[in-house]
Amino acid sequence: MFKTSVVFLCVCVLFIACDSQNEDESIQTGTVINQTSCGGGPEPVFIIKLSENDSIMTATLPKAYQKPLLKIQFKTKEKTSLLICTMDKIYPKQFDVFDVISI
C-alpha cells in the first residue's frame, strides 16, 4: 500500500511539474514595427510593439508575418539563441515567438 501511494504521489508531482512548464508560454498581441540588425542568432530580427510603452524583439517570426504594421497574435517563450545587438540603441527583451496568426 505504501509503495502504491509513493508511486501515485511521484506521478502527480511529475504531472504538475510538466504542466507548469507550459505556463511559461503566454499569448500576446502586437504590431510588427520594424526589422533590426543583430548578430549571434538567426536573421532577420524584428521588433514587435505590444503597447505604447512595451515591445519585444524576436528572431523567430515566421516569414509570412514579417511585414511592417501587421497586427499579429502569438505565443512567446524564453529565447533559445542569444542575439548580440549594437550598443547605440536600447533594445527590448528578446523572446521566441510561435503559433502566429494575423488579426
Side-chain angles (χ1 to χ4, degrees), residues 21-58:
Q21 290 176 351
N22 291 337
E23 293 175 9
D24 292 341
E25 302 170 357
S26 62
I27 297 174
Q28 301 282 338
T29 301
T31 304
V32 179
I33 298 299
N34 65 326
Q35 182 177 340
T36 189
S37 182
C38 294
E43 291 280 342
V45 176
F46 286 88
I47 306 294
I48 301 172
K49 186 174 183 176
L50 304 176
S51 68
E52 190 63 37
N53 298 319
D54 198 17
S55 298
I56 66 167
M57 179 172 65
T58 186

Side-chain angles (χ1 to χ4, degrees), residues 32-96:
V32 179
I33 298 299
N34 65 326
Q35 182 177 340
T36 189
S37 182
C38 294
E43 291 280 342
V45 176
F46 286 88
I47 306 294
I48 301 172
K49 186 174 183 176
L50 304 176
S51 68
E52 190 63 37
N53 298 319
D54 198 17
S55 298
I56 66 167
M57 179 172 65
T58 186
T60 60
L61 186 64
K63 190 169 186 86
Y65 302 98
Q66 296 177 359
K67 301 172 187 162
L69 304 179
L70 181 65
K71 293 185 187 291
I72 56 174
Q73 185 175 25
F74 53 93
K75 291 182 181 177
T76 60
K77 61 182 175 181
E78 288 298 318
K79 63 187 176 201
T80 56
S81 63
L82 178 63
L83 297 175
I84 301 169
C85 303
T86 59
M87 295 304 212
D88 61 339
K89 295 187 215 176
I90 297 174
Y91 290 92
K93 188 172 178 185
Q94 175 192 349
F95 289 93
D96 285 351

